[in-house]
Amino acid sequence: MKAPRMRRVAPAALALVVAAAALSLRAQSGVQTAVDAAYAKYKTLQEGKNADYIPVLAKVDRNLFGIAVITRDGKVYSAGDTSTQVSIQSISKVFTMARVIQDQGPESIEKRIGVDATGMKFNSIVAVEFAEKVLGGPEINPLVNPGAITATSMVQGATSDEVWAKIIGTYNDFAGRPLSVLDDVYKSESATNQRNQAIGMLMYAYEFIKDNPAQATDLYTRQCSVGVNVKDLAAMAATLAFGGRNPITGKQAISAENVPYVLAVMATAGLYDDSGKWLYHTGLPAKSGVGGGIIAVSPGNFGIAVVSPPLDDAGNSVRAQRAIRDISTALNGNPYAVRELRPVATSGRN
Ligand code: DON
């Protein structure tokens, strides 16, 4: 009796395995095709301008262009320059916020800083004054400079080195390798960051920062100077896409229940005063940096990053925005787009 049944089941099982492999291969080649197409389309685009208010950033090669997508299985799909490091800049703000949420709970950020878009530039002082004087409370967010410097001040440690070890340790877990500070960027920004020093002091004066605003601004400057390549950034995005677990190393960087809070602030404020426009067109939680990187997250699907230094007026990389938008459209990445309609579960009564 046993042998004939085996003969009938085995070919069916084999057929299933072959079909699944074919589907997965098709999906894989679809990702690479989308990445290659976006790279070819935008490689020669010359719009935008490198940031120059941090002098060293003006010297970065404006033609640098790299794309990376990482899927659930940890596979990396890439095009262009995947090894040159740029400074992470404001993308760091996501991961310091993640650390504070992980250590002190989501309400810590909401109560101290706020989780609302300011609609103003990333280093706006008016936004702080408006929140304080008109709105009367913590009505900014951890992804603009005043909120980010405050979030950095909230990472706990007896010394500056101890706080830094927590910050860089968190970034390393997300990226899946040890990262380090680009010294030339740190020096250049430290010498020219008087506005951020003023913001740190203002946040201290208004008691958002409880202690040592100079240390908070310095550590914030250091975190912005961390060097990353496009694959590091994609791994950081993919870790957020898959419940806080780095899909390459398997390490849990933050707990799954905290990820939605991080993604919500990225959706609200990740591309500064253009966050609404970005979300309208992509539906993707994302974060940009003036070093030219943008990360975006399609929850459960993929993490994507693009590096290209020339920025638009809002401070967001021109080629990165376009490439991510195209690739996500090709891969059905928009989480608000319904892929299939499932019947709503009923109580069984009607
Ligand atoms: O504080 C600054 O001005 C920079 N370290 C970071 C700004 C930034 O990346 C804004 N991004 N779009």
Side-chain angles (χ1 to χ4, degrees), residues 124-148:
S124 172
I125 288 172
V126 172
V128 177
E129 289 294 329
F130 189 77
E132 186 69 15
K133 304 276 167 54
V134 181
L135 303 174
E139 297 273 357
I140 54 169
N141 67 75
L143 300 183
V144 290
N145 291 13

Side-chain angles (χ1 to χ4, degrees), residues 27-29 31-32 35 67-71 73 75-79:
Q28 284 181 19
S29 68
V31 180
Q32 191 58 51
V35 168
I67 303 176
V69 175
I70 300 182
T71 46
D73 51 6
K75 198 160 177 349
V76 182
Y77 302 86
S78 63

Side-chain angles (χ1 to χ4, degrees), residues 53-54 89-90 93 122 145 189 196 220 224 272 288-290 315:
Y53 73 98
I54 300 170
Q89 295 297 342
S90 280
K93 293 166 176 165
F122 62 83
N145 291 13
E189 185 160 349
N196 282 344
Y220 163 80
C224 288
Y272 303 110
S288 62
V290 290

